[in-house]
Amino acid sequence: MRSRVLLSAALVVVVLLVAGGVAWQLMSNGTAQPVTQATAAPVPSASRPTVAACPEPELTVAVAPEIEPVIRAAADGLKPAGQRCAPIVVRAEEPGVTLESKDRPDVWVPSSSSWLTIAAQRRLVYKPSGATLAWSPIVLTAPESMVGLYSSDGKPAWTALLQAVTEGRIPVVTMPDPLKTTTGLLSVHGVHAAAALTTKDPGIAQLRALTLRSRLEEADADPVSILKLLGTQNSPTDASYAVGVFPMVEQQLLAYQKAGHEVALAGAPPVDGMVQADYPYAVRKGVKTGLVEQLRSAISRPALEQAGFRTEPTAGSARLPESAAGLLAPVKQWVQYQKLSFQVLLLIDASGSMNEKIGAGAATKASLLRESGASAADLFNQDTTIGMWYFGAASATSPAHTEEVPFGPITSPVGERPRRDLLAEKIGTYRPITSAGTPLYQSVLDGIETMRQDAAPDKPSVVVVLTDGADGGTRFTMSNQEFLRKIAAGRDPKRPIPVIAVGYGPDANMTALQSMAKATGGQAIAARNPADLASAMAKAFLAARSTP
């Protein structure tokens, strides 16, 4: 009995000592959690073992997010057994982010060799080591119920997507940022390649490509975020209206499909502008370590294939520009084409000088305007408010201009006709009057005043003039000096109405148009030959959209 009492007392003492030790450590830690090995007596700080900080890694690697798991697994396989610090650090980021980062990786695996070309322009030299690791085409993706809406003969196409969007059959289209992501960069070039197949005029092709840009619901969407959203959806119908159509690399689609989510996605490379991501293993100039080749050798074809990548390129891909300037020019234009609640008044020169031929062919200024202008009618997004006038006076009593399309939302009807359709029809049937003079200045003054009165004051407004730039031959004729005085007198700094003037033909009075544009805060663009006429149209609308 005495031994039991002594044993119990001893146990109580031990418990009290342990509890006291834990309490002491809690107080000394300043937390509500005991430190590891709370039952042990505190170790004096001088005798506590210290954990050395990891040294700088021997190799830093930046990779496109979708291929990061494969590269990381290969890097982990090179970590020495029992070593806490990894000699290789792998980070996942979009190529455009790597390009802008001050932390330059030793090895770069972007999702397109195009980024190496762009980097070289900035004097950031990364040289491919060995063959390209993998490929993955850009696919147009959507919930299965929507795929047929942008397919031609059962195959997805950029042009079919554009037609479906302009006709309102697809409510939502998104794309990633082309200055940051490979999907965005390559998609812009894919859209331009598809548009180039529809016309011989590069300017009109440019307009058609930008038409899709004008209809994007979101121009810097993130495919990874979209896939995460879809992965949580339980209703395919709701998802269709939420995300619509969006491009991504095939590997991302395959990974999503493999996970077996409720919302089924389908996608395929567009037949009229197929582009593909490729994954080079590039080494920064001056980097010398055996780990570079060890990591390169550890990335196996079976691992890439299992992750959903192709280990051979796909035939039929559109060729990309070989220079950084060629890669970035359409991309920067695409990015600058901001979606705005935009208000525009089109003034089209209907005077006799527009019947003059350009060059040795049969084309006239008017015929070129009809062709490029019809394409431009599709360029305006659904938020545009628009009207159109013809200006030209055939007699001494004729007005300076006539209203062909009344000013109003492009989505609203004019009588029984959609305003966009009426705009396209009027431009397509445009015929200048041979005997008509050119009341250019008066029409511009009236156009500016009309926009001040009729256009909403809180939205960007602009007057776009398509002309050969010569005022004269009517009772409204005035000198350039008089015109500029009237512009200055009526100018309202709080309500600018810039003029975007496109001068048609080699004899266009660009001096007059430039002074007009400068006085209103706009821009003058020359269209000196048939080859650059539609391109000038595109630049005019781009300039108008970038006007504050």
Side-chain angles (χ1 to χ4, degrees):
M1 181 70 178
R2 177 180 174 81
S3 62
R4 291 179 183 175
V5 172
L6 291 174
L7 178 60
S8 298
L11 288 172
V12 169
V13 171
V14 171
V15 169
L16 290 173
L17 288 173
V18 170
V22 169
W24 183 88
Q25 292 188 44
L26 285 172
M27 290 185 290
S28 63
N29 282 332
T31 70
Q33 298 295 329
V35 296
T36 306
Q37 296 180 342
T39 58
V43 179
S45 59
S47 60
R48 290 178 187 170
T50 58
V51 178
C54 284
E56 289 293 321
E58 296 181 46
L59 193 71
T60 58
V61 186
V63 302
E66 63 272 16
I67 203 172
E68 186 266 349
V70 178
I71 307 297
R72 184 176 295 278
D76 289 345
L78 298 176
K79 180 181 177 181
Q83 182 172 316
R84 186 177 66 87
C85 302
I88 302 175
V89 172
V90 179
R91 70 177 192 256
E93 59 190 20
E94 293 291 352
V97 175
T98 305
L99 197 63
E100 297 297 332
S101 174
K102 294 181 180 179
D103 184 11
R104 307 295 183 198
D106 301 319
V107 172
W108 189 16
V109 184
S111 35
S112 175
S113 299
S114 296
W115 294 104
L116 303 183
T117 302
I118 296 170
Q121 183 194 43
R122 303 186 183 189
R123 299 183 180 180
L124 304 175
V125 181
Y126 282 85
K127 294 292 185 182
S129 175
T132 299
L133 294 175
W135 291 264
S136 192
I138 300 297
V139 295
L140 279 174
T141 309
E144 286 184 341
S145 61
M146 299 183 68
V147 173
L149 298 177
Y150 59 91
S151 297
S152 177
D153 298 326
K155 298 178 180 179
W158 290 113
T159 48
L161 174 62
L162 174 57
Q163 183 176 358
V165 172
T166 55
E167 293 175 357
R169 290 184 283 117
I170 294 180
V172 178
V173 178
T174 63
M175 278 179 58
D177 185 345
L179 290 176
K180 183 183 296 183
T181 71
T182 293
T183 297
L185 175 74
L186 297 184
S187 293
V188 168
H189 284 280
V191 172
H192 279 78
L197 297 175
T198 67
T199 175
K200 294 180 179 180
D201 190 312
I204 292 177
Q206 186 180 41
L207 282 176
R208 290 175 180 170
L210 289 172
T211 299
L212 181 59
R213 168 63 182 88
S214 72
R215 305 304 177 89
L216 291 182
E217 182 71 19
E218 191 175 355
D220 55 358
D222 176 20
V224 174
S225 299
I226 291 175
L227 291 176
K228 286 182 179 179
L229 171 65
L230 288 173
T232 64
Q233 299 291 310
N234 297 318
S235 170
T237 302
D238 292 343
S240 299
Y241 286 100
V243 302
V245 183
F246 53 97
M248 63 174 56
V249 295
E250 180 188 61
Q251 184 274 340
Q252 291 175 308
L253 174 61
L254 294 176
Y256 178 91
Q257 292 173 332
K258 188 177 181 179
H261 295 292
E262 183 69 25
V263 178
L265 293 181
V271 294
D272 56 351
M274 196 272 279
V275 283
Q276 60 185 326
D278 66 295
Y279 298 80
Y281 185 89
V283 183
R284 181 164 52 85
K285 184 179 180 180
V287 173
K288 295 180 179 179
T289 170
L291 284 176
V292 169
E293 288 308 315
Q294 291 179 43
L295 177 60
R296 175 70 179 76
S297 300
I299 305 168
S300 68
R301 288 170 64 98
L304 290 164
E305 291 170 349
Q306 186 176 6
F309 292 97
R310 302 188 185 192
T311 51
E312 296 292 338
T314 306
S317 181
R319 294 188 62 182
L320 298 175
E322 296 181 358
S323 68
L327 287 165
L328 291 175
V331 167
K332 289 180 178 179
Q333 185 184 66
W334 184 276
V335 170
Q336 290 168 0
Y337 198 84
Q338 301 299 319
K339 180 178 180 180
L340 301 173
S341 298
F342 192 68
Q343 302 175 120
V344 59
L345 178 62
L346 280 173
L347 303 185
I348 297 182
D349 189 342
S351 64
S353 60
M354 293 296 289
N355 286 319
E356 296 172 359
K357 290 185 178 181
I358 300 179
T364 64
K365 300 172 188 177
S367 66
L368 291 169
L369 189 149
R370 283 194 295 271
E371 186 177 1
S372 59
S375 296
D378 279 334
L379 192 61
F380 299 105
N381 65 40
Q382 302 293 81
D383 295 327
T384 301
T385 304
I386 194 167
M388 188 178 77
W389 297 354
Y390 288 164
F391 63 92
S395 68
T397 58
S398 296
H401 44 78
T402 58
E403 182 181 74
E404 300 295 320
V405 179
F407 188 74
I410 200 166
T411 54
S412 67
V414 180
E416 297 182 354
R417 300 287 308 281
R419 184 173 266 98
R420 187 189 298 277
D421 291 353
L422 180 60
L423 180 69
E425 178 188 305
K426 288 289 184 178
I427 295 176
T429 58
Y430 156 75
R431 295 291 187 278
I433 301 172
T434 302
S435 60
T438 312
L440 170 63
Y441 291 153
Q442 187 61 54
S443 297
V444 170
L445 291 170
D446 292 347
I448 291 173
E449 184 58 30
T450 296
M451 291 297 280
R452 284 207 180 97
Q453 294 175 0
D454 296 348
D458 58 341
K459 297 179 180 179
S461 302
V462 68
V463 173
V464 177
V465 184
L466 310 179
T467 181
D468 58 8
D471 181 270
T474 73
R475 62 190 173 94
F476 303 101
T477 299
M478 67 183 77
S479 68
N480 183 254
Q481 290 77 13
E482 182 182 358
F483 169 69
L484 293 178
R485 282 196 299 271
K486 291 184 176 181
I487 285 285
R491 189 170 185 176
D492 182 359
K494 296 181 180 179
R495 185 76 191 285
I497 309 291
V499 173
I500 307 298
V502 178
Y504 279 59
D507 59 344
N509 189 345
M510 293 307 301
T511 300
L513 296 183
Q514 287 165 356
S515 64
M516 176 191 301
K518 183 178 180 180
T520 60
Q523 185 173 348
I525 299 165
R528 299 189 182 283
N529 56 63
D532 65 10
L533 173 60
S535 293
M537 288 276 293
K539 290 177 182 177
F541 292 119
L542 284 166
R545 285 182 173 272
S546 64
T547 301

